[in-house]
Amino acid sequence: MSHISPDPEPERSSGLEPGGGVPPGETPPAESSLPEAGPRETHNPPKGWAKAPMAVIIVLVVLIAAFFLAYALALIL
């Protein structure tokens, strides 16, 4: 993999003054992407939540909802 320089080449960029400056009213050259910017990501799961953690969360939500429902019924009676 070759290294890609993020700096524009002055001889190939239009609108640059000597020394790399940009005159007033001129749009500077766009940034190039940096493919080597971050660490190599080796683990990227293709799916969302796994079945077991989602099931545990659903059971906890149902238990908490049942508790509050029973508490409300106990207050009414």
Side-chain angles (χ1 to χ4, degrees):
M1 179 180 274
S2 64
H3 175 72
I4 300 171
S5 175
D7 297 328
E9 297 178 27
E11 61 274 355
R12 292 183 53 194
S13 299
S14 62
L16 291 179
E17 294 177 337
V22 180
E26 182 73 31
T27 304
E31 289 184 20
S32 63
S33 64
L34 298 174
E36 300 95 18
R40 179 175 168 88
E41 190 172 333
T42 57
H43 175 69
N44 189 7
K47 295 184 179 180
W49 288 79
K51 293 178 183 176
M54 186 60 90
V56 170
I57 291 171
I58 291 172
V59 168
L60 286 175
V61 167
V62 168
L63 287 175
I64 292 170
F67 169 76
F68 282 114
L69 180 63
Y71 186 71
L73 289 175
L75 287 177
I76 293 173
L77 301 175

